[in-house]
Amino acid sequence: IIGDLGSHWLDMARWLLGEVVAVSANSGRFVPRDARPDGSDYTRAEDHSVISVRFESGASATLQISAVAWEGTPFGQVHEIDLHGSDGTLHARIDWDTVQEVRGLKAGQTGPAQPLPVPDELWDGAPRDSVHDTYRHVFRRTEAMTRGWASAVSEGRAVDPDIATGARVQQLVDAAVRSAAADGTWQPTPAV
């Protein structure tokens, strides 16, 4: 689970909050799984993890990741991010069906956090009737994600994120896996 889903959230945390200097992780299995049909055993993967992250800036984050969370939505998953800082608070929520919103509140304002408009140029013409259609458009018709990377490589231009970013995320995943194996002991991450 740390390598599968955790890698994306570690990358997102680093992108939002800066360089990571240490991680602590715990992971386990909620769902018992039987042996193979022939009765032989196999290594079972974890289905949930909590990863604590320390950033170079002094900020910290908690990433909760689960492959078995029941959300009751058509896509069975919800992604949420809460960011709290001295200048205010942001909440982002995507249910992969009808909800894709960012709410915010500047320091000193009276709550609750209010929806924040996402500028049209960031949507790049994507439909916003359903979240799934929005993402289908972004991933199939724009230079986002793999398509942008492949285009940059074929055209000989720089791309962001690059291989170094992927290697850094892998270092963070490795540190989190080591931490989980050591019962959550904080693991420093290699300097960049």
Short mmCIF file of all heavy atoms in Angstrom, two decimals, residues 94-166:
data_model
loop_
_atom_site.label_atom_id
_atom_site.label_comp_id
_atom_site.label_asym_id
_atom_site.label_seq_id
_atom_site.Cartn_x
_atom_site.Cartn_y
_atom_site.Cartn_z
N ILE A 94 -12.39 15.25 -3.47
CA ILE A 94 -12.80 14.68 -4.75
C ILE A 94 -13.41 13.32 -4.46
O ILE A 94 -12.76 12.48 -3.83
CB ILE A 94 -11.60 14.52 -5.71
CG1 ILE A 94 -10.99 15.88 -6.02
CG2 ILE A 94 -12.01 13.80 -6.98
CD1 ILE A 94 -9.69 15.81 -6.81
N ASP A 95 -14.64 13.09 -4.92
CA ASP A 95 -15.26 11.77 -4.71
C ASP A 95 -15.30 10.95 -5.99
O ASP A 95 -15.86 9.87 -6.02
CB ASP A 95 -16.66 11.91 -4.10
CG ASP A 95 -17.71 12.41 -5.09
OD1 ASP A 95 -17.37 12.75 -6.25
OD2 ASP A 95 -18.88 12.47 -4.68
N TRP A 96 -14.71 11.44 -7.07
CA TRP A 96 -14.63 10.78 -8.37
C TRP A 96 -15.99 10.61 -9.03
O TRP A 96 -16.13 9.90 -10.00
CB TRP A 96 -13.90 9.44 -8.28
CG TRP A 96 -12.49 9.65 -7.86
CD1 TRP A 96 -12.01 9.58 -6.59
CD2 TRP A 96 -11.39 10.03 -8.68
NE1 TRP A 96 -10.68 9.90 -6.56
CE2 TRP A 96 -10.27 10.17 -7.84
CE3 TRP A 96 -11.24 10.27 -10.04
CZ2 TRP A 96 -9.03 10.55 -8.32
CZ3 TRP A 96 -10.00 10.63 -10.51
CH2 TRP A 96 -8.92 10.76 -9.65
N ASP A 97 -17.02 11.29 -8.47
CA ASP A 97 -18.35 11.22 -9.06
C ASP A 97 -18.88 12.63 -9.30
O ASP A 97 -18.85 13.12 -10.42
CB ASP A 97 -19.29 10.44 -8.14
CG ASP A 97 -20.67 10.24 -8.72
OD1 ASP A 97 -20.80 10.18 -9.95
OD2 ASP A 97 -21.63 10.14 -7.93
N THR A 98 -19.32 13.32 -8.25
CA THR A 98 -19.92 14.65 -8.42
C THR A 98 -19.19 15.75 -7.67
O THR A 98 -19.44 16.93 -7.93
CB THR A 98 -21.38 14.64 -7.95
OG1 THR A 98 -21.42 14.25 -6.57
CG2 THR A 98 -22.22 13.67 -8.76
N VAL A 99 -18.34 15.42 -6.73
CA VAL A 99 -17.70 16.45 -5.90
C VAL A 99 -16.23 16.61 -6.28
O VAL A 99 -15.46 15.65 -6.22
CB VAL A 99 -17.81 16.11 -4.40
CG1 VAL A 99 -17.09 17.15 -3.56
CG2 VAL A 99 -19.27 15.99 -3.97
N GLN A 100 -15.87 17.80 -6.70
CA GLN A 100 -14.47 18.20 -6.88
C GLN A 100 -14.41 19.66 -6.49
O GLN A 100 -14.76 20.53 -7.25
CB GLN A 100 -13.97 17.94 -8.30
CG GLN A 100 -14.80 18.50 -9.42
CD GLN A 100 -14.29 18.06 -10.78
OE1 GLN A 100 -13.24 17.44 -10.91
NE2 GLN A 100 -15.04 18.36 -11.82
N GLU A 101 -14.01 19.89 -5.25
CA GLU A 101 -14.07 21.25 -4.74
C GLU A 101 -12.88 21.56 -3.86
O GLU A 101 -12.25 20.68 -3.28
CB GLU A 101 -15.36 21.48 -3.96
CG GLU A 101 -15.42 20.72 -2.65
CD GLU A 101 -16.69 21.01 -1.85
OE1 GLU A 101 -17.60 21.69 -2.38
OE2 GLU A 101 -16.77 20.56 -0.71
N VAL A 102 -12.60 22.85 -3.80
CA VAL A 102 -11.61 23.39 -2.87
C VAL A 102 -12.33 24.44 -2.05
O VAL A 102 -13.01 25.31 -2.59
CB VAL A 102 -10.41 24.01 -3.62
CG1 VAL A 102 -9.42 24.62 -2.63
CG2 VAL A 102 -9.72 22.99 -4.51
N ARG A 103 -12.18 24.35 -0.73
CA ARG A 103 -12.75 25.34 0.18
C ARG A 103 -11.60 25.98 0.92
O ARG A 103 -10.59 25.33 1.18
CB ARG A 103 -13.72 24.69 1.18
CG ARG A 103 -14.96 24.15 0.54
CD ARG A 103 -15.87 23.48 1.58
NE ARG A 103 -17.15 23.18 0.97
CZ ARG A 103 -18.19 24.00 0.96
NH1 ARG A 103 -18.12 25.17 1.56
NH2 ARG A 103 -19.31 23.66 0.37
N GLY A 104 -11.75 27.23 1.27
CA GLY A 104 -10.67 27.91 1.96
C GLY A 104 -11.14 29.01 2.88
O GLY A 104 -12.29 29.47 2.80
N LEU A 105 -10.22 29.40 3.73
CA LEU A 105 -10.48 30.45 4.69
C LEU A 105 -9.14 31.08 5.05
O LEU A 105 -8.20 30.39 5.44
CB LEU A 105 -11.11 29.83 5.95
CG LEU A 105 -11.65 30.75 7.01
CD1 LEU A 105 -12.85 31.52 6.48
CD2 LEU A 105 -12.06 29.93 8.23
N LYS A 106 -9.01 32.40 4.84
CA LYS A 106 -7.78 33.11 5.20
C LYS A 106 -7.76 33.35 6.71
O LYS A 106 -8.82 33.51 7.34
CB LYS A 106 -7.69 34.44 4.46
CG LYS A 106 -7.43 34.29 2.98
CD LYS A 106 -7.28 35.65 2.33
CE LYS A 106 -7.02 35.48 0.84
NZ LYS A 106 -6.86 36.77 0.18
N ALA A 107 -6.57 33.42 7.25
CA ALA A 107 -6.42 33.71 8.68
C ALA A 107 -7.16 35.00 9.00
O ALA A 107 -7.07 35.98 8.26
CB ALA A 107 -4.95 33.82 9.05
N GLY A 108 -7.91 34.99 10.08
CA GLY A 108 -8.66 36.17 10.49
C GLY A 108 -10.09 36.20 9.99
O GLY A 108 -10.90 36.94 10.52
N GLN A 109 -10.42 35.41 8.97
CA GLN A 109 -11.78 35.35 8.47
C GLN A 109 -12.63 34.47 9.39
O GLN A 109 -12.12 33.58 10.07
CB GLN A 109 -11.85 34.79 7.05
CG GLN A 109 -11.28 35.71 6.00
CD GLN A 109 -11.39 35.11 4.61
OE1 GLN A 109 -11.28 33.91 4.42
NE2 GLN A 109 -11.60 35.97 3.62
N THR A 110 -13.93 34.69 9.36
CA THR A 110 -14.85 33.86 10.12
C THR A 110 -15.31 32.70 9.26
O THR A 110 -15.68 32.89 8.11
CB THR A 110 -16.07 34.69 10.57
OG1 THR A 110 -15.61 35.81 11.33
CG2 THR A 110 -17.02 33.87 11.40
N GLY A 111 -15.29 31.49 9.83
CA GLY A 111 -15.64 30.28 9.10
C GLY A 111 -17.12 30.06 9.01
O GLY A 111 -17.90 30.86 9.50
N PRO A 112 -17.54 29.03 8.37
CA PRO A 112 -16.72 27.93 7.86
C PRO A 112 -16.05 28.30 6.53
O PRO A 112 -16.39 29.30 5.91
CB PRO A 112 -17.73 26.81 7.65
CG PRO A 112 -19.01 27.51 7.33
CD PRO A 112 -18.97 28.78 8.17
N ALA A 113 -15.12 27.45 6.11
CA ALA A 113 -14.43 27.66 4.84
C ALA A 113 -15.44 27.68 3.69
O ALA A 113 -16.42 26.93 3.70
CB ALA A 113 -13.40 26.54 4.61
N GLN A 114 -15.21 28.56 2.73
CA GLN A 114 -16.11 28.74 1.60
C GLN A 114 -15.50 28.15 0.32
O GLN A 114 -14.28 28.10 0.19
CB GLN A 114 -16.39 30.23 1.39
CG GLN A 114 -17.09 30.89 2.56
CD GLN A 114 -18.45 30.28 2.82
OE1 GLN A 114 -19.27 30.16 1.91
NE2 GLN A 114 -18.70 29.87 4.06
N PRO A 115 -16.37 27.72 -0.61
CA PRO A 115 -15.85 27.21 -1.88
C PRO A 115 -15.01 28.27 -2.59
O PRO A 115 -15.35 29.45 -2.60
CB PRO A 115 -17.11 26.90 -2.69
CG PRO A 115 -18.20 26.75 -1.68
CD PRO A 115 -17.84 27.67 -0.55
N LEU A 116 -13.90 27.84 -3.16
CA LEU A 116 -13.03 28.73 -3.92
C LEU A 116 -13.14 28.38 -5.40
O LEU A 116 -13.05 27.20 -5.77
CB LEU A 116 -11.57 28.57 -3.46
CG LEU A 116 -11.30 28.87 -1.99
CD1 LEU A 116 -9.86 28.54 -1.65
CD2 LEU A 116 -11.60 30.32 -1.68
N PRO A 117 -13.32 29.36 -6.25
CA PRO A 117 -13.42 29.05 -7.68
C PRO A 117 -12.05 28.64 -8.23
O PRO A 117 -11.02 29.19 -7.85
CB PRO A 117 -13.89 30.37 -8.29
CG PRO A 117 -13.43 31.43 -7.33
CD PRO A 117 -13.46 30.79 -5.97
N VAL A 118 -12.07 27.64 -9.09
CA VAL A 118 -10.86 27.24 -9.79
C VAL A 118 -10.88 27.97 -11.13
O VAL A 118 -11.84 27.84 -11.88
CB VAL A 118 -10.81 25.71 -9.99
CG1 VAL A 118 -9.59 25.31 -10.81
CG2 VAL A 118 -10.84 24.99 -8.65
N PRO A 119 -9.85 28.76 -11.42
CA PRO A 119 -9.85 29.54 -12.68
C PRO A 119 -10.02 28.65 -13.91
O PRO A 119 -9.47 27.54 -13.98
CB PRO A 119 -8.47 30.20 -12.67
CG PRO A 119 -8.05 30.23 -11.24
CD PRO A 119 -8.65 29.00 -10.62
N ASP A 120 -10.80 29.12 -14.88
CA ASP A 120 -11.09 28.34 -16.08
C ASP A 120 -9.84 27.88 -16.81
O ASP A 120 -9.80 26.78 -17.35
CB ASP A 120 -11.98 29.14 -17.04
CG ASP A 120 -13.42 29.23 -16.56
OD1 ASP A 120 -13.86 28.34 -15.79
OD2 ASP A 120 -14.11 30.19 -16.94
N GLU A 121 -8.79 28.72 -16.81
CA GLU A 121 -7.58 28.32 -17.55
C GLU A 121 -6.92 27.08 -16.94
O GLU A 121 -6.24 26.32 -17.63
CB GLU A 121 -6.57 29.46 -17.67
CG GLU A 121 -6.02 29.99 -16.36
CD GLU A 121 -6.82 31.15 -15.80
OE1 GLU A 121 -7.95 31.43 -16.27
OE2 GLU A 121 -6.32 31.80 -14.88
N LEU A 122 -7.13 26.83 -15.65
CA LEU A 122 -6.59 25.61 -15.04
C LEU A 122 -7.35 24.37 -15.49
O LEU A 122 -6.79 23.28 -15.53
CB LEU A 122 -6.60 25.71 -13.52
CG LEU A 122 -5.66 26.74 -12.91
CD1 LEU A 122 -5.77 26.73 -11.39
CD2 LEU A 122 -4.22 26.49 -13.33
N TRP A 123 -8.62 24.53 -15.84
CA TRP A 123 -9.42 23.40 -16.30
C TRP A 123 -9.06 23.01 -17.73
O TRP A 123 -9.32 21.89 -18.14
CB TRP A 123 -10.90 23.72 -16.21
CG TRP A 123 -11.41 23.78 -14.81
CD1 TRP A 123 -11.77 24.90 -14.12
CD2 TRP A 123 -11.60 22.69 -13.92
NE1 TRP A 123 -12.17 24.57 -12.86
CE2 TRP A 123 -12.08 23.21 -12.71
CE3 TRP A 123 -11.41 21.32 -14.02
CZ2 TRP A 123 -12.39 22.42 -11.61
CZ3 TRP A 123 -11.71 20.53 -12.92
CH2 TRP A 123 -12.20 21.07 -11.73
N ASP A 124 -8.46 23.93 -18.50
CA ASP A 124 -8.01 23.65 -19.87
C ASP A 124 -9.11 23.01 -20.73
O ASP A 124 -8.87 22.07 -21.47
CB ASP A 124 -6.77 22.76 -19.83
CG ASP A 124 -6.00 22.75 -21.15
OD1 ASP A 124 -6.16 23.70 -21.93
OD2 ASP A 124 -5.27 21.77 -21.39
N GLY A 125 -10.34 23.53 -20.59
CA GLY A 125 -11.44 23.05 -21.41
C GLY A 125 -12.08 21.75 -20.96
O GLY A 125 -12.95 21.21 -21.65
N ALA A 126 -11.66 21.23 -19.82
CA ALA A 126 -12.22 19.96 -19.35
C ALA A 126 -13.67 20.12 -18.93
O ALA A 126 -14.04 21.12 -18.32
CB ALA A 126 -11.40 19.44 -18.17
N PRO A 127 -14.52 19.14 -19.23
CA PRO A 127 -15.90 19.20 -18.77
C PRO A 127 -15.93 19.04 -17.25
O PRO A 127 -15.07 18.41 -16.67
CB PRO A 127 -16.56 17.99 -19.46
CG PRO A 127 -15.44 17.05 -19.72
CD PRO A 127 -14.22 17.91 -19.95
N ARG A 128 -16.94 19.63 -16.63
CA ARG A 128 -17.03 19.54 -15.17
C ARG A 128 -18.36 18.97 -14.71
O ARG A 128 -18.80 19.21 -13.60
CB ARG A 128 -16.77 20.92 -14.56
CG ARG A 128 -15.31 21.32 -14.73
CD ARG A 128 -15.07 22.70 -14.25
NE ARG A 128 -15.05 23.58 -15.41
CZ ARG A 128 -14.89 24.87 -15.36
NH1 ARG A 128 -14.73 25.47 -14.22
NH2 ARG A 128 -14.89 25.59 -16.45
N ASP A 129 -19.01 18.20 -15.59
CA ASP A 129 -20.29 17.62 -15.21
C ASP A 129 -20.11 16.48 -14.22
O ASP A 129 -20.87 16.34 -13.28
CB ASP A 129 -21.06 17.15 -16.44
CG ASP A 129 -20.26 16.23 -17.34
OD1 ASP A 129 -19.02 16.24 -17.25
OD2 ASP A 129 -20.86 15.51 -18.15
N SER A 130 -19.11 15.64 -14.41
CA SER A 130 -18.79 14.61 -13.43
C SER A 130 -17.27 14.59 -13.28
O SER A 130 -16.53 14.90 -14.21
CB SER A 130 -19.30 13.23 -13.86
OG SER A 130 -18.46 12.68 -14.84
N VAL A 131 -16.83 14.22 -12.10
CA VAL A 131 -15.39 14.19 -11.85
C VAL A 131 -14.71 13.20 -12.79
O VAL A 131 -13.64 13.47 -13.33
CB VAL A 131 -15.11 13.83 -10.37
CG1 VAL A 131 -13.63 13.80 -10.10
CG2 VAL A 131 -15.80 14.83 -9.45
N HIS A 132 -15.34 12.07 -13.01
CA HIS A 132 -14.74 11.06 -13.89
C HIS A 132 -14.53 11.61 -15.30
O HIS A 132 -13.49 11.40 -15.91
CB HIS A 132 -15.60 9.80 -13.90
CG HIS A 132 -14.95 8.65 -14.55
ND1 HIS A 132 -13.87 8.00 -14.00
CD2 HIS A 132 -15.20 8.03 -15.73
CE1 HIS A 132 -13.49 7.02 -14.81
NE2 HIS A 132 -14.27 7.03 -15.86
N ASP A 133 -15.53 12.35 -15.82
CA ASP A 133 -15.38 12.95 -17.15
C ASP A 133 -14.28 14.02 -17.17
O ASP A 133 -13.56 14.15 -18.15
CB ASP A 133 -16.70 13.56 -17.62
CG ASP A 133 -17.71 12.50 -18.04
OD1 ASP A 133 -17.31 11.34 -18.23
OD2 ASP A 133 -18.90 12.85 -18.15
N THR A 134 -14.17 14.78 -16.08
CA THR A 134 -13.10 15.77 -15.98
C THR A 134 -11.74 15.09 -16.10
O THR A 134 -10.90 15.47 -16.91
CB THR A 134 -13.17 16.54 -14.65
OG1 THR A 134 -14.44 17.18 -14.56
CG2 THR A 134 -12.06 17.56 -14.54
N TYR A 135 -11.53 14.06 -15.31
CA TYR A 135 -10.23 13.39 -15.32
C TYR A 135 -10.00 12.62 -16.60
O TYR A 135 -8.87 12.56 -17.09
CB TYR A 135 -10.08 12.52 -14.07
CG TYR A 135 -9.75 13.39 -12.90
CD1 TYR A 135 -10.75 14.00 -12.16
CD2 TYR A 135 -8.44 13.66 -12.58
CE1 TYR A 135 -10.45 14.86 -11.12
CE2 TYR A 135 -8.13 14.51 -11.53
CZ TYR A 135 -9.13 15.10 -10.81
OH TYR A 135 -8.83 15.96 -9.79
N ARG A 136 -11.04 12.04 -17.16
CA ARG A 136 -10.89 11.36 -18.45
C ARG A 136 -10.39 12.35 -19.50
O ARG A 136 -9.49 12.05 -20.27
CB ARG A 136 -12.24 10.77 -18.86
CG ARG A 136 -12.16 9.96 -20.13
CD ARG A 136 -13.49 9.32 -20.46
NE ARG A 136 -13.93 8.55 -19.33
CZ ARG A 136 -15.18 8.19 -19.11
NH1 ARG A 136 -16.13 8.53 -19.96
NH2 ARG A 136 -15.51 7.49 -18.06
N HIS A 137 -10.96 13.56 -19.51
CA HIS A 137 -10.53 14.59 -20.46
C HIS A 137 -9.06 14.98 -20.20
O HIS A 137 -8.25 15.03 -21.12
CB HIS A 137 -11.43 15.82 -20.33
CG HIS A 137 -10.96 16.98 -21.16
ND1 HIS A 137 -11.41 17.19 -22.44
CD2 HIS A 137 -10.08 17.97 -20.90
CE1 HIS A 137 -10.83 18.25 -22.94
NE2 HIS A 137 -10.02 18.76 -22.02
N VAL A 138 -8.73 15.24 -18.94
CA VAL A 138 -7.37 15.67 -18.60
C VAL A 138 -6.35 14.62 -19.02
O VAL A 138 -5.33 14.93 -19.62
CB VAL A 138 -7.27 15.99 -17.08
CG1 VAL A 138 -5.82 16.14 -16.66
CG2 VAL A 138 -8.07 17.24 -16.75
N PHE A 139 -6.62 13.36 -18.72
CA PHE A 139 -5.64 12.32 -19.01
C PHE A 139 -5.61 11.88 -20.46
O PHE A 139 -4.61 11.37 -20.92
CB PHE A 139 -5.87 11.10 -18.10
CG PHE A 139 -5.60 11.41 -16.66
CD1 PHE A 139 -6.51 11.07 -15.69
CD2 PHE A 139 -4.44 12.05 -16.28
CE1 PHE A 139 -6.26 11.35 -14.35
CE2 PHE A 139 -4.18 12.35 -14.95
CZ PHE A 139 -5.10 11.99 -13.98
N ARG A 140 -6.69 12.09 -21.21
CA ARG A 140 -6.73 11.64 -22.60
C ARG A 140 -6.53 12.75 -23.62
O ARG A 140 -6.17 12.47 -24.76
CB ARG A 140 -8.06 10.94 -22.88
CG ARG A 140 -8.20 9.65 -22.11
CD ARG A 140 -9.49 8.96 -22.45
NE ARG A 140 -9.63 7.75 -21.65
CZ ARG A 140 -10.73 7.03 -21.60
NH1 ARG A 140 -11.78 7.38 -22.32
NH2 ARG A 140 -10.78 5.96 -20.85
N ARG A 141 -6.78 14.00 -23.23
CA ARG A 141 -6.74 15.06 -24.23
C ARG A 141 -5.76 16.18 -23.93
O ARG A 141 -5.68 17.13 -24.70
CB ARG A 141 -8.14 15.66 -24.38
CG ARG A 141 -9.13 14.65 -24.88
CD ARG A 141 -10.44 15.27 -25.19
NE ARG A 141 -11.37 14.24 -25.60
CZ ARG A 141 -12.65 14.45 -25.80
NH1 ARG A 141 -13.14 15.66 -25.63
NH2 ARG A 141 -13.43 13.48 -26.17
N THR A 142 -5.07 16.11 -22.84
CA THR A 142 -4.10 17.16 -22.51
C THR A 142 -2.73 16.53 -22.31
O THR A 142 -2.57 15.31 -22.35
CB THR A 142 -4.50 17.94 -21.24
OG1 THR A 142 -4.27 17.11 -20.10
CG2 THR A 142 -5.95 18.40 -21.29
N GLU A 143 -1.75 17.36 -22.08
CA GLU A 143 -0.39 16.89 -21.86
C GLU A 143 -0.12 16.53 -20.40
O GLU A 143 1.02 16.46 -19.97
CB GLU A 143 0.60 17.96 -22.34
CG GLU A 143 0.64 18.11 -23.85
CD GLU A 143 1.27 16.90 -24.54
OE1 GLU A 143 2.44 16.60 -24.26
OE2 GLU A 143 0.57 16.26 -25.34
N ALA A 144 -1.17 16.30 -19.64
CA ALA A 144 -1.00 15.92 -18.23
C ALA A 144 -0.51 14.48 -18.12
O ALA A 144 -0.75 13.66 -19.00
CB ALA A 144 -2.33 16.07 -17.49
N MET A 145 0.19 14.24 -17.04
CA MET A 145 0.61 12.90 -16.66
C MET A 145 1.52 12.26 -17.72
O MET A 145 2.40 12.89 -18.25
CB MET A 145 -0.59 12.02 -16.34
CG MET A 145 -1.49 12.59 -15.25
SD MET A 145 -0.70 12.67 -13.65
CE MET A 145 -0.74 10.98 -13.16
N THR A 146 1.28 11.00 -18.03
CA THR A 146 2.18 10.23 -18.89
C THR A 146 2.30 10.81 -20.29
O THR A 146 3.38 10.83 -20.87
CB THR A 146 1.70 8.77 -18.96
OG1 THR A 146 1.56 8.28 -17.63
CG2 THR A 146 2.69 7.91 -19.71
N ARG A 147 1.20 11.31 -20.84
CA ARG A 147 1.25 11.87 -22.19
C ARG A 147 2.24 13.04 -22.26
O ARG A 147 3.03 13.14 -23.19
CB ARG A 147 -0.13 12.33 -22.63
CG ARG A 147 -0.10 13.02 -24.00
CD ARG A 147 -1.45 13.52 -24.39
NE ARG A 147 -2.02 12.54 -25.28
CZ ARG A 147 -3.27 12.54 -25.69
NH1 ARG A 147 -4.10 13.46 -25.27
NH2 ARG A 147 -3.70 11.63 -26.52
N GLY A 148 2.20 13.93 -21.28
CA GLY A 148 3.12 15.06 -21.25
C GLY A 148 4.57 14.61 -21.13
O GLY A 148 5.47 15.17 -21.77
N TRP A 149 4.78 13.59 -20.32
CA TRP A 149 6.14 13.05 -20.15
C TRP A 149 6.63 12.43 -21.46
O TRP A 149 7.74 12.72 -21.92
CB TRP A 149 6.14 12.02 -19.02
CG TRP A 149 7.49 11.52 -18.66
CD1 TRP A 149 8.39 12.12 -17.84
CD2 TRP A 149 8.10 10.31 -19.11
NE1 TRP A 149 9.53 11.36 -17.74
CE2 TRP A 149 9.37 10.24 -18.52
CE3 TRP A 149 7.69 9.28 -19.95
CZ2 TRP A 149 10.24 9.18 -18.74
CZ3 TRP A 149 8.56 8.22 -20.18
CH2 TRP A 149 9.81 8.19 -19.58
N ALA A 150 5.78 11.63 -22.10
CA ALA A 150 6.17 10.99 -23.35
C ALA A 150 6.42 12.03 -24.45
O ALA A 150 7.38 11.91 -25.22
CB ALA A 150 5.11 9.99 -23.79
N SER A 151 5.59 13.04 -24.52
CA SER A 151 5.78 14.10 -25.52
C SER A 151 7.10 14.82 -25.30
O SER A 151 7.83 15.09 -26.26
CB SER A 151 4.63 15.11 -25.47
OG SER A 151 3.42 14.53 -25.85
N ALA A 152 7.41 15.15 -24.05
CA ALA A 152 8.66 15.86 -23.75
C ALA A 152 9.87 15.01 -24.12
O ALA A 152 10.83 15.51 -24.71
CB ALA A 152 8.71 16.24 -22.28
N VAL A 153 9.82 13.73 -23.81
CA VAL A 153 10.94 12.85 -24.15
C VAL A 153 11.10 12.77 -25.67
O VAL A 153 12.21 12.91 -26.18
CB VAL A 153 10.74 11.44 -23.54
CG1 VAL A 153 11.75 10.45 -24.10
CG2 VAL A 153 10.83 11.50 -22.02
N SER A 154 10.00 12.58 -26.39
CA SER A 154 10.10 12.45 -27.85
C SER A 154 10.54 13.75 -28.51
O SER A 154 11.16 13.73 -29.57
CB SER A 154 8.77 11.98 -28.44
OG SER A 154 7.79 12.98 -28.37
N GLU A 155 10.25 14.89 -27.89
CA GLU A 155 10.64 16.19 -28.44
C GLU A 155 11.96 16.70 -27.88
O GLU A 155 12.42 17.78 -28.25
CB GLU A 155 9.53 17.22 -28.17
CG GLU A 155 8.23 16.87 -28.89
CD GLU A 155 7.04 17.67 -28.37
OE1 GLU A 155 7.24 18.65 -27.61
OE2 GLU A 155 5.91 17.31 -28.74
N GLY A 156 12.57 15.94 -26.96
CA GLY A 156 13.87 16.32 -26.41
C GLY A 156 13.83 17.54 -25.50
O GLY A 156 14.80 18.28 -25.42
N ARG A 157 12.72 17.76 -24.80
CA ARG A 157 12.65 18.91 -23.89
C ARG A 157 12.49 18.43 -22.45
O ARG A 157 12.12 17.28 -22.20
CB ARG A 157 11.52 19.86 -24.28
CG ARG A 157 10.16 19.26 -24.34
CD ARG A 157 9.10 20.28 -24.80
NE ARG A 157 7.87 19.63 -25.14
CZ ARG A 157 6.93 19.26 -24.28
NH1 ARG A 157 7.09 19.51 -23.00
NH2 ARG A 157 5.82 18.67 -24.69
N ALA A 158 12.77 19.32 -21.53
CA ALA A 158 12.67 18.99 -20.11
C ALA A 158 11.21 18.77 -19.73
O ALA A 158 10.30 19.34 -20.33
CB ALA A 158 13.26 20.11 -19.27
N VAL A 159 11.00 17.96 -18.72
CA VAL A 159 9.65 17.67 -18.25
C VAL A 159 9.64 17.72 -16.72
O VAL A 159 10.65 17.43 -16.07
CB VAL A 159 9.18 16.29 -18.76
CG1 VAL A 159 10.01 15.17 -18.20
CG2 VAL A 159 7.71 16.07 -18.47
N ASP A 160 8.51 18.14 -16.19
CA ASP A 160 8.34 18.17 -14.74
C ASP A 160 7.00 17.53 -14.40
O ASP A 160 5.98 17.98 -14.94
CB ASP A 160 8.37 19.63 -14.24
CG ASP A 160 8.26 19.73 -12.74
OD1 ASP A 160 8.81 18.86 -12.05
OD2 ASP A 160 7.60 20.67 -12.27
N PRO A 161 6.97 16.48 -13.60
CA PRO A 161 8.08 15.91 -12.86
C PRO A 161 8.99 15.10 -13.78
O PRO A 161 8.55 14.58 -14.79
CB PRO A 161 7.41 15.03 -11.82
CG PRO A 161 6.09 14.67 -12.40
CD PRO A 161 5.69 15.82 -13.28
N ASP A 162 10.24 14.99 -13.36
CA ASP A 162 11.24 14.29 -14.15
C ASP A 162 11.67 13.00 -13.44
O ASP A 162 11.13 12.63 -12.40
CB ASP A 162 12.43 15.20 -14.43
CG ASP A 162 13.07 15.72 -13.15
OD1 ASP A 162 12.76 15.22 -12.04
OD2 ASP A 162 13.90 16.65 -13.25
N ILE A 163 12.64 12.32 -14.02
CA ILE A 163 13.13 11.06 -13.45
C ILE A 163 13.68 11.28 -12.05
O ILE A 163 13.48 10.45 -11.16
CB ILE A 163 14.21 10.43 -14.37
CG1 ILE A 163 13.60 10.05 -15.72
CG2 ILE A 163 14.87 9.24 -13.70
CD1 ILE A 163 12.58 8.95 -15.68
N ALA A 164 14.33 12.41 -11.81
CA ALA A 164 14.87 12.70 -10.48
C ALA A 164 13.74 12.80 -9.45
O ALA A 164 13.88 12.34 -8.31
CB ALA A 164 15.69 13.99 -10.50
N THR A 165 12.61 13.38 -9.84
CA THR A 165 11.46 13.45 -8.93
C THR A 165 10.95 12.06 -8.61
O THR A 165 10.67 11.73 -7.45
CB THR A 165 10.33 14.31 -9.54
OG1 THR A 165 10.84 15.62 -9.78
CG2 THR A 165 9.12 14.36 -8.64
N GLY A 166 10.84 11.22 -9.63
CA GLY A 166 10.41 9.84 -9.41
C GLY A 166 11.37 9.09 -8.51
O GLY A 166 10.95 8.33 -7.62
#
